[in-house]
Amino acid sequence: MGGGALGRRRRAIRPPRLGGLTINKLLPNMLTVLALSAGMTGIRFATEQRWEHAVVAIVVAAVLDALDGRIARLLNAQSKFGAELDSLSDVVSFGVAPAMILYMWGLNEARSFGWIACLLFGACAALRLARFNTALGSAAQKPVWAYNYFTGVPAPAGAGLALIPIVASFEMGRAVVGHPAFVVVWTVGMAALMISAIPTFSLKGLRIHPRYVVFIFLGLVLLAAGVVSAPWTTLLILGVGYLVTLPFSVRQYQRLMAQAELLVGAGPEETEGVAAPEGAPEGAGEEPAVEPSVQPQDGASPRS
């Protein structure tokens, strides 16, 4: 009796556990801050005319941005604070930083037109991220067959595409791709792609058939070898290759949309046994009116 009372008294006076967040909860936000720091460091390198280092800084920011959202989901560390921090970081790293690097590299030679292009790129990056954030609440309205597509070019990809003239100058010389008029047109074009409604491929929901896994690994080995041995040529090929995929993504999107409209327009008896549009989740053709919620997908990778 006395021993039980003493044990209860000891448990009652046990000091409370320390509060606070674990490292697992903070890790995604740490990566986001590192991405922001990389983007800002790219501006510093540009002021020192260290163009190679400036491009590498933006690439590092893009890699960190791709990791923070995925790690947050794996560790169940998603938060509203992390989503807001991620979006603000992306505006700086993939909007302001690339625009300022381009301006100091070649846009300044176009005077007012160059500054207008610089402003447009930064503003379009911010508008794209704002459009994506406001669309999160209506994500359930997105058709099931459109899960594997972005609307417009993601911000990290847009930043990389905008820097292609600088990357190309490392291999071809500035006289070929450094003309102020060309840089202005290129920058405005990449800004327009970010805020456009063009459907672009998203690899987040891509499923690889087991027979192709070995070839994917071989491709990664070749990519790593190219980055180490010829980094600028490799980045240039990746950028141009991404641009080449845009017409194919538009065509594939339109084909899936046409198939979905055909299924919706047909009656239940007519659609029985008809396969759902390619790229749609399993069972999508059975109940076309029911659309499950969509996980956020964008270059910004907001965490909510």
Side-chain angles (χ1 to χ4, degrees), residues 100-124:
M100 292 305 301
I101 293 172
L102 282 166
Y103 182 77
M104 287 181 274
W105 180 76
L107 287 176
N108 57 348
E109 298 179 9
R111 299 184 181 276
S112 297
F113 292 103
W115 182 242
I116 291 173
C118 178
L119 292 178
L120 280 176
F121 188 86
C124 287

Side-chain angles (χ1 to χ4, degrees), residues 217-278:
F217 287 142
L218 290 177
L220 291 176
V221 171
L222 292 176
L223 177 61
V227 170
V228 172
S229 58
W232 309 127
T233 302
T234 302
L235 291 177
L236 186 60
I237 292 175
L238 290 176
V240 174
Y242 182 83
L243 287 175
V244 171
T245 65
L246 296 184
F248 296 97
S249 66
V250 173
R251 180 179 179 183
Q252 179 73 1
Y253 186 90
Q254 292 176 344
R255 186 168 68 87
L256 293 177
M257 182 169 59
Q259 293 179 3
E261 291 176 351
L262 181 62
L263 290 175
V264 172
E269 297 180 356
E270 299 178 22
T271 58
E272 184 177 355
V274 179
E278 298 178 10

Side-chain angles (χ1 to χ4, degrees), residues 170-241:
F170 300 152
E171 296 291 338
M172 308 176 185
R174 186 164 178 171
V176 180
V177 293
H179 193 280
F182 172 77
V183 181
V184 168
V185 173
W186 182 269
T187 304
V188 173
M190 297 305 104
L193 284 178
M194 285 196 294
I195 62 171
S196 69
I198 295 176
T200 58
F201 288 127
S202 169
L203 301 180
K204 293 183 179 181
L206 181 64
R207 295 183 178 273
I208 307 298
H209 194 279
R211 70 175 65 179
Y212 300 123
V213 171
V214 175
F215 298 101
I216 296 297
F217 287 142
L218 290 177
L220 291 176
V221 171
L222 292 176
L223 177 61
V227 170
V228 172
S229 58
W232 309 127
T233 302
T234 302
L235 291 177
L236 186 60
I237 292 175
L238 290 176
V240 174

Side-chain angles (χ1 to χ4, degrees), residues 128-155:
R128 173 184 171 73
L129 293 167
R131 180 182 67 179
F132 174 73
N133 290 342
T134 55
L136 291 179
S138 58
Q141 301 177 7
K142 191 174 183 179
V144 292
W145 48 267
Y147 286 176
N148 294 332
Y149 293 88
F150 293 137
T151 301
V153 173

Side-chain angles (χ1 to χ4, degrees), residues 6-92:
L6 180 61
R8 287 194 296 272
R9 189 179 301 110
R10 288 179 178 176
R11 287 195 295 269
I13 63 175
R14 180 177 298 172
R17 297 179 60 182
L18 296 176
L21 298 175
T22 63
I23 295 297
N24 287 349
K25 295 293 185 180
L26 294 176
L27 182 58
N29 294 334
M30 292 178 180
L31 294 177
T32 303
V33 172
L34 288 176
L36 173 63
S37 302
M40 294 292 293
T41 303
I43 298 178
R44 177 194 171 182
F45 286 142
T47 60
E48 299 172 353
Q49 297 187 357
R50 299 162 64 182
W51 310 116
E52 294 88 348
H53 294 79
V55 172
V56 170
I58 301 301
V59 173
V60 170
V63 172
L64 293 173
D65 179 75
L67 292 176
D68 60 3
R70 288 166 175 80
I71 291 179
R73 289 187 287 272
L74 288 174
L75 299 179
N76 194 25
Q78 300 158 309
S79 65
K80 182 65 175 176
F81 174 84
E84 296 297 333
L85 178 63
D86 189 81
S87 294
L88 294 173
S89 172
D90 288 354
V91 171
V92 175

